[in-house]
Amino acid sequence: GAVVSQHPSRVICKSGTSVKIECRSLDFQATTMFWYRQFPKQSLMLMATSNEGSKATYEQGVEKDKFLINHASLTLSTLTVTSAHPEDSSFYICSARDRAGAGEKLFFGSGTQLSVL
Amino acid sequence: DQQVKQNSPSLSVQEGRISILNCDYTNSMFDYFLWYKKYPAEGPTFLISISSIKDKNEDGRFTVFLNKSAKHLSLHIVPSQPGDSAVYFCAASRSYNTDKLIFGTGTRLQVFP
């Protein structure tokens, strides 16, 4: 099956620093990638939809200036958490859609556990 | 407001028996439902789906049942195998090809010998 690579898998940073998370589709081109966040004991929540070559679409309540998304190529999207604070500590996971297709064509990365001290 | 709920955080089943994972939803506009399976340190992978025009979809050992009037779906795994031990997420969307999936909190299934 299709593979989505997400790095890093775990990051610990100091409050106020910025953290970049990469999401790559390894064997297919993804015009659309998605970023989710999951707090403990809660569900995966969609943060934003990343479209190649255009601005990301953010879900309600997600600060676009804090969570910068760049989708510069058909195989790479990045999420940068700017000026991270302890409340940003969470599990972040990306997914990519293999061109046309519904939910079954969504392939997920393995996630990034962010801990902000 | 949790629109997709998986009220059982964990389930333990003996190998060979049936595993039944439940999912409830509140939004009657949802018309497409999916189950994902997640192993530790890996991302969720698609398992099976069902659209609202059906009440059952079967794929090998996995069957998903949908009860629209009760806004309830369930995933049956039979017979359960130790390799099925994972976290199972239910997800719902408003149309077949939508980008926005609403996930449940997951149920951790453990299949013991």
Side-chain angles (χ1 to χ4, degrees), chain A:
Chain A
V3 177
V4 172
S5 174
Q6 183 174 343
H7 292 283
S9 59
R10 182 178 295 273
V11 60
I12 301 172
C13 69
K14 291 183 179 179
S15 185
T17 59
S18 294
V19 174
K20 180 186 280 189
I21 303 169
E22 289 190 351
C23 182
R24 293 180 186 272
S25 56
L26 297 185
D27 52 2
F28 66 99
Q29 293 183 325
T31 53
T32 306
M33 290 186 173
F34 307 90
W35 288 95
Y36 302 81
R37 179 169 55 184
Q38 184 179 24
F39 292 109
K41 292 187 169 43
Q42 295 187 24
S43 57
L44 282 169
M45 297 292 291
L46 180 65
M47 297 175 66
T49 301
S50 168
N51 298 296
E52 186 265 337
S54 64
K55 289 185 179 180
T57 304
Y58 291 81
E59 295 300 306
Q60 191 174 9
V62 178
E63 299 174 57
K64 61 180 181 181
D65 294 329
K66 181 166 186 62
F67 299 98
L68 300 180
I69 291 172
N70 184 284
H71 192 162
S73 77
L74 284 172
T75 59
L76 174 64
S77 176
T78 60
L79 168 68
T80 301
V81 184
T82 62
S83 187
H85 290 283
E87 58 265 30
D88 299 322
S89 298
S90 184
F91 182 72
Y92 293 85
I93 191 166
C94 69
S95 69
R97 191 167 68 187
D98 185 1
R99 292 287 188 173
E104 62 265 33
K105 295 298 185 185
L106 274 180
F107 300 97
F108 285 82
S110 53
T112 299
Q113 184 65 52
L114 171 64
S115 299
V116 184
L117 305 178

Side-chain angles (χ1 to χ4, degrees), chain B residues 13-17 19 37 61-62 77-85 88 109-112:
Chain B
V13 172
Q14 188 172 30
E15 182 178 7
R17 302 269 193 166
S19 295
K37 176 180 179 179
R61 296 186 297 114
F62 302 91
I77 306 173
V78 56
S80 301
Q81 298 174 354
D84 297 329
S85 299
Y88 289 79
L109 173 66
Q110 183 176 6
V111 181
F112 59 93

Side-chain angles (χ1 to χ4, degrees), chain B residues 19-75:
Chain B
S19 295
I20 300 177
L21 296 95
N22 294 304
C23 178
D24 297 291
Y25 60 96
T26 58
N27 190 337
S28 58
M29 299 296 289
F30 290 144
D31 56 9
Y32 188 61
F33 306 89
L34 308 93
W35 285 92
Y36 285 84
K37 176 180 179 179
K38 183 183 182 304
Y39 290 118
E42 295 184 12
T45 55
F46 170 75
L47 190 58
I48 193 169
S49 64
I50 189 167
S51 77
S52 60
I53 61 174
K54 293 185 174 182
D55 54 19
K56 176 183 174 181
N57 188 25
E58 189 172 352
D59 183 3
R61 296 186 297 114
F62 302 91
T63 302
V64 56
F65 295 92
L66 175 62
N67 183 333
K68 290 186 290 294
S69 60
K71 296 192 183 68
H72 176 84
L73 62 155
S74 60
L75 174 68

